[in-house]
Amino acid sequence: MAVAQAAAMSFPPSPHMARALDLARAAAGAGEVPVGAVLTAPDGSVLAEAHNLTRTLPDPTAHAEMLVLREAARLLGNERLTGCTLWVTLEPCPMCAAAIAEARIARLVYAASDPKGGGVEHGPRIFAHTRHVPEILSGISEAEAAALLKGFFSARR
């Protein structure tokens, strides 16, 4: 599994990642871990967007990624989200990475890596154990996403 790093390539700013960061800031304002996600259709239109709601709902599975996958599957009437791209501000955890594989997401773009809780580049590396592996790009808006997370957690310590 190859993860393309944005820092090693030249990519223009993404309006979808900018929206995911706005959602992450809204999550922080609501006392949720600041993670935002946007799911786009193959044509680039937005199918669903969300931020973490684990405390609000309360639901340990209410991660931003899970919420957008559920909403898009409901809207499309299909559990397979082939051709779609998931934009998320933090490396997905193992639970979310497994759901991404099950949904047959074509492309995963995430901002900051998560050495402690990630499931893509770190930890169990879920996509090394699945038949459905998305194209993966990391590091888009990484500094901004990492600063948001660090600020959120340092304010709570």
Side-chain angles (χ1 to χ4, degrees), residues 12-25 35-50 68 84-90 107-111 140-141 144:
S14 163
H16 300 305
M17 187 59 79
R19 178 63 183 146
L21 286 162
D22 287 343
L23 291 161
R25 283 188 281 279
V35 177
V38 174
L39 187 73
T40 56
D43 69 1
S45 63
V46 174
L47 289 171
E49 57 181 41
V68 297
C84 293
T85 299
L86 177 61
W87 303 81
V88 64
T89 58
L90 182 64
R107 189 171 305 101
L108 169 64
V109 183
Y110 65 89
I140 300 288
S141 301
E144 189 175 351

